[in-house]
Amino acid sequence: MDARRIIATVRDGGTPSREELGWFAAGLADGGVTDAQAGAFAMAVLLRGLSEEGRVALTLAMRDSGQRLSWDLPGPALDKHSTGGIGDCVSLVLAPALAACGAYVPMISGRGLGHTGGTLDKLESIPGVTTLLDEARFRDTVGKAGCAIVAASAAIAPADRRLYAVRDVSATVESLDLITASILSKKLAAGLDGLVLDVKTGSGAFMKSEEDARGLAEALVSTANAAGCPTAAVLSDMNQPLVPSLGNALEVAEAMRVLTGAASGPLAEITAVLGGVVLCGGGLAPDVDTGAAAVAKAIASGAAAEAFGRMIAAQGGPLGFVEDWARFLPEATVIREVAAPATGYVAGFAGEALGLTVVGLGGGRQVESDTVDPSVGISDILPMGAWVEKGQPLARVHAARTDGADRAVAEVQAAVTLSDTRPEAPRLIRDRIGP
């Protein structure tokens, strides 16, 4: 086969055969396809698109370019993927809640990307925790704790690893077909029996418009189901932080408050909805509402917290983390209040700007080699609709140094919109897509 012919087929609006896409994905994985050819292919897909048949074939080819896991467990292997947002620590609550409901969750997650935090970085803010597990330890943790949250090994979907790096430097990240294949190739390689997708829309999401988010959700759901993995998606709001904190250790604290019954709110709500969808799809609940109720019960009873504790211990963390979690999480050396510059209602957030403020504090990576400071971030962020007097705190900045804190305070003030009119609170759950 010839990479040039495959690229030309896409360039001219055609769809390469499944065999051709399989050959191309194998070439991405083993170096038989050059960077120039990978970039040309990505640009052709961005500009001309693939048919649904082609998108499914590309996803399966990238899945099959490396190792595929399979599971022999007494319950279904279920998982969740989020398209990313600010204050999104759902995985830390949902994975153990699903485990408490009889599922097994082999969650392969990622690190921070752009303005959004990464689940792996959040989990690693707990002392001793490692997300770099070999296959034997990964399997043992899933089997004994019911869930594990780990980084993808180099053997999982290597074609995606290569193509993603090329897309990042060739202005082709935005392709709906390539986003779909990238997300699903890794998830499908994990050998799942069911998947739920949290597709976010709003100022703090990658997909700012609901139309774009819906298009991505529909592409993901149709492709995953065509590939044989029962999948549904939830469209959720990201016009304000999901929890009132941004930053790795700060978001772990928010997750622990929900798991231990000290807090409720949007995090608990969306966890129940997503859990209900995937429990239903995985055959552990007769319908979504029953599944959501089971997830809420698992959290309220403490069963989810117990599963989280087992996972943390199995991945190298403290044995008594759940019982005394605040003692273990790192704290920033400088904490500053963000004073409201005027009186009014909190009417909106520049969500991406807030996320980038945390990155600037050291809570994320500006280049891949950056070291993440798990203690920094923003906490106590007032929600939309809250009334604040001039000079009262809008939030608190957690920083390593005073100059960083001063800069972050100004950035948070600029990212929050105040109004004389109380805004209508956005609906957290916009829609559900799929069976």
Side-chain angles (χ1 to χ4, degrees):
M1 293 189 188
D2 187 339
R4 293 169 297 179
R5 181 171 298 176
I6 294 169
I7 294 165
T9 297
V10 180
R11 179 200 66 195
D12 296 338
T15 299
S17 69
R18 176 166 293 195
E19 292 73 23
E20 287 175 320
L21 289 171
W23 179 89
F24 195 87
L28 287 169
D30 65 16
V33 170
T34 69
D35 282 351
Q37 290 168 334
F41 175 80
M43 186 61 73
V45 173
L46 174 75
L47 296 177
R48 299 307 300 265
L50 292 172
S51 65
E52 182 169 350
E53 179 184 359
R55 188 168 62 234
V56 173
L58 178 62
T59 300
L60 292 174
M62 289 168 62
R63 178 199 69 181
D64 295 341
S65 67
Q67 180 185 20
R68 288 177 59 186
L69 300 175
S70 60
W71 301 92
D72 183 14
L73 296 163
L78 306 180
D79 199 1
K80 159 259 182 190
H81 176 81
S82 169
T83 57
I86 52 174
D88 178 10
C89 48
V90 171
S91 293
L92 302 181
V93 182
L94 180 59
L98 291 174
C101 292
Y104 291 83
V105 187
M107 185 176 286
I108 297 175
S109 287
R111 304 207 175 267
L113 180 64
H115 68 281
T116 66
T119 298
L120 299 182
D121 296 324
K122 295 168 192 177
L123 199 63
E124 289 175 353
S125 68
I126 301 172
V129 167
T130 178
T131 59
L132 300 173
L133 307 186
D134 61 29
E135 184 180 346
R137 188 173 173 187
F138 182 29
R139 290 183 178 278
D140 186 63
T141 301
V142 171
K144 292 179 178 176
C147 55
I149 300 176
V150 303
S153 75
I156 296 290
D160 174 64
R161 187 183 298 267
R162 173 93 184 287
L163 187 58
Y164 190 93
V166 170
R167 288 166 57 209
D168 194 39
V169 297
S170 61
T172 56
V173 170
E174 296 83 0
S175 165
L176 186 68
D177 296 311
L178 297 180
I179 291 171
T180 299
S182 177
I183 290 171
L184 292 180
S185 60
K186 296 187 288 289
K187 288 297 182 183
L188 296 176
L192 302 177
D193 298 309
L195 176 65
V196 63
L197 301 157
D198 182 9
V199 181
K200 297 185 178 297
T201 179
S203 67
F206 282 109
M207 296 293 183
K208 301 293 189 285
S209 76
E210 186 167 335
E211 179 182 3
D212 288 344
R214 185 178 297 276
L216 176 58
E218 290 172 347
L220 287 164
V221 169
S222 64
T223 302
N225 281 292
C229 181
T231 300
V234 172
L235 282 183
S236 66
D237 180 77
M238 189 41 72
N239 283 303
Q240 61 179 331
L242 185 63
V243 295
S245 295
L246 309 183
N248 295 306
L250 293 170
E251 290 184 46
V252 171
E254 297 292 348
M256 294 311 301
R257 291 186 184 102
V258 170
L259 281 169
T260 58
S264 55
L267 175 57
E269 179 184 348
I270 195 168
T271 298
V273 171
L274 291 167
V277 170
V278 75
L279 286 176
C280 178
L284 290 178
D287 53 64
V288 171
D289 290 343
T290 302
V295 169
K297 182 179 179 181
I299 294 172
S301 69
E306 291 176 6
F308 187 79
R310 291 194 299 270
M311 180 185 77
I312 293 301
Q315 293 189 219
L319 290 174
F321 180 75
V322 169
E323 291 73 22
D324 198 13
W325 57 266
R327 178 168 70 89
F328 293 104
L329 293 177
E331 297 180 355
T333 54
V334 180
I335 300 177
R336 292 276 178 83
E337 287 191 347
V338 180
T343 295
Y345 291 101
V346 176
F349 297 90
E352 187 168 340
L354 283 178
L356 291 175
T357 294
V358 176
V359 174
L361 286 166
R365 296 173 184 80
Q366 300 190 42
V367 297
E368 188 175 351
S369 59
D370 282 350
T371 299
V372 170
D373 184 342
S375 69
V376 302
I378 310 167
S379 71
D380 303 287
I381 304 167
L382 293 182
M384 288 178 66
W387 174 262
V388 63
E389 299 284 345
K390 181 179 180 178
Q392 290 183 340
L394 283 170
R396 288 182 174 84
V397 164
H398 299 243
R401 301 188 320 196
T402 56
D403 58 343
D406 292 340
R407 184 171 57 251
V409 165
E411 290 173 353
V412 174
Q413 287 174 326
V416 180
T417 300
L418 299 174
S419 172
D420 293 335
T421 305
R422 184 171 187 172
E424 183 177 346
R427 289 182 296 115
L428 177 60
I429 307 300
R430 301 288 187 88
D431 201 0
R432 193 170 82 235
I433 295 170

